[in-house]
Amino acid sequence: MTALVMMSFKNQLGEIERLGRVVTEFAQHHHWSPQVLFEVNVSLEEILTNVISYGYEDNREHEITLRLAFADGELTAEIEDDGQPFNPLEMAEPELNKPLEERQVGGLGIYLVRKFMTELAYQRYEGKNRLTLKKKIAPEE
Amino acid sequence: METTETKTNGIVMLGLKGKLDTTTAPQLQEKLLAALAGGEKQFAIDCAQLEYISSAGLRVLLLAAKQLRSGNGKIALYALKAHVKEVFDLAGFSAALPLFGSQSEALSSFTH
């Protein structure tokens, strides 16, 4: 496996399992620690789940593309979909200090992505959402 | 994800193994809601073999904890791996969903 991987997923939640396998293979190739693999896995699962669950109003099959690149100790992951415009960076932070009974769980996924990634950027262009995640990854001790 | 279930002294002991993610969370939700509907009020969740959790997993546990609270029930989680525990800490769930180091600590919390 090279330092660059491109693949596409259908808008079905069953694809999450395949995503996990791809990310794990990529991580092993680049000798990431289990902790880093976990953080990347969770982040990409959260993003892909959001796109699949909320991105489409029709019942048609859509293609979501993922591009993973690792160079100079930094992972860049790009997720592109043709769903309705959605910028996850605009989501409100979850109210972490509220009592359990009043807590809404919405936004928690994106919150985890923010914690686990170094940088997030969103672009809408040519009818597509493109989310770019970056993460600095130190070589495993 | 695989689950095991036993009952000891009125406490449902649920063991989670593998990944609690978008695809497996509905399985656990079904199990917990069925137990709640059956009148169970005390749950001890063994996380020693839980390798992975995402927000979908957190959501199910939060749902169960909310329902248990309104019915004077209780849920306790124990033996979480460090990276799994970190997700609970980040989410601010640790206060609401009590986490314990060992099974015996979790079980003794039910008597207090």
Side-chain angles (χ1 to χ4, degrees):
Chain A
M1 191 183 281
T2 62
L4 182 73
V5 167
M6 256 191 91
M7 61 184 310
S8 62
F9 297 92
K10 292 177 188 145
N11 52 323
Q12 297 165 359
L13 287 177
E15 293 281 70
I16 298 298
E17 198 188 329
R18 194 159 65 93
L19 172 74
R21 286 203 303 270
V22 170
V23 175
T24 302
E25 211 177 297
F26 194 78
Q28 283 166 352
H29 181 78
H30 294 292
H31 308 289
W32 296 349
S33 68
Q35 178 68 31
V36 167
L37 166 62
F38 173 70
E39 294 178 359
V40 173
N41 245 336
V42 168
S43 300
L44 292 177
E45 179 199 323
E46 300 293 354
I47 300 297
L48 197 62
T49 298
N50 262 349
V51 173
I52 294 170
S53 304
Y54 310 113
Y56 302 102
E57 281 176 333
D58 59 31
N59 292 317
R60 298 212 186 102
E61 191 171 294
H62 293 266
E63 194 174 79
I64 302 153
T65 59
L66 169 70
R67 189 173 163 273
L68 295 176
F70 186 61
D72 302 324
E74 188 175 59
L75 164 74
T76 305
E78 268 179 22
I79 300 104
E80 212 172 80
D81 67 84
D82 61 350
Q84 41 189 338
F86 174 66
N87 179 358
L89 306 187
E90 286 171 355
M91 283 201 70
E93 294 237 328
E95 293 154 309
L96 298 179
N97 296 321
K98 275 199 169 182
L100 183 70
E101 288 76 7
E102 297 166 31
R103 283 277 299 274
Q104 302 295 321
V105 208
L108 196 53
I110 295 296
Y111 177 78
L112 292 178
V113 177
R114 283 179 187 276
K115 289 288 173 190
F116 288 154
M117 292 287 149
T118 321
E119 211 180 303
L120 278 81
Y122 171 81
Q123 274 179 298
R124 177 84 187 172
Y125 87 119
E126 291 177 0
K128 288 186 173 181
N129 297 302
R130 180 196 277 170
L131 193 67
T132 308
L133 316 177
K134 286 181 187 282
K135 183 177 177 65
K136 295 240 186 279
I137 295 169
E140 198 179 359
E141 297 297 315
Chain B
M1 188 188 59
E2 288 169 43
T3 56
T4 54
E5 191 179 337
T6 54
K7 199 171 169 184
T8 312
N9 301 326
I11 301 170
V12 178
M13 314 281 293
L14 204 55
L16 306 182
K17 183 178 179 181
K19 293 179 84 169
L20 185 52
D21 63 7
T22 302
T23 50
T24 58
Q27 226 176 290
L28 179 64
Q29 177 164 336
E30 206 175 303
K31 215 176 202 3
L32 285 170
L33 291 185
L36 284 164
E40 299 295 348
K41 286 187 184 301
Q42 294 182 310
F43 293 83
I45 316 284
D46 180 357
C47 299
Q49 296 187 81
L50 183 63
E51 307 291 339
Y52 180 103
I53 189 164
S54 63
S55 69
L58 292 176
R59 193 169 290 127
V60 169
L61 292 167
L62 179 68
L63 179 76
K66 278 185 172 181
Q67 293 211 3
L68 283 165
R69 279 224 174 167
S70 57
N72 286 321
K74 199 168 173 185
I75 187 166
L77 280 66
Y78 64 90
L80 287 81
K81 290 179 186 291
H83 61 281
V84 172
K85 183 175 181 296
E86 190 196 357
V87 173
F88 282 87
D89 291 339
L90 284 174
F93 277 21
S94 306
L97 270 173
L99 310 179
F100 298 92
S102 68
Q103 186 189 67
S104 58
E105 288 170 66
L107 292 183
S108 69
S109 77
F110 286 97
T111 54
H112 299 300

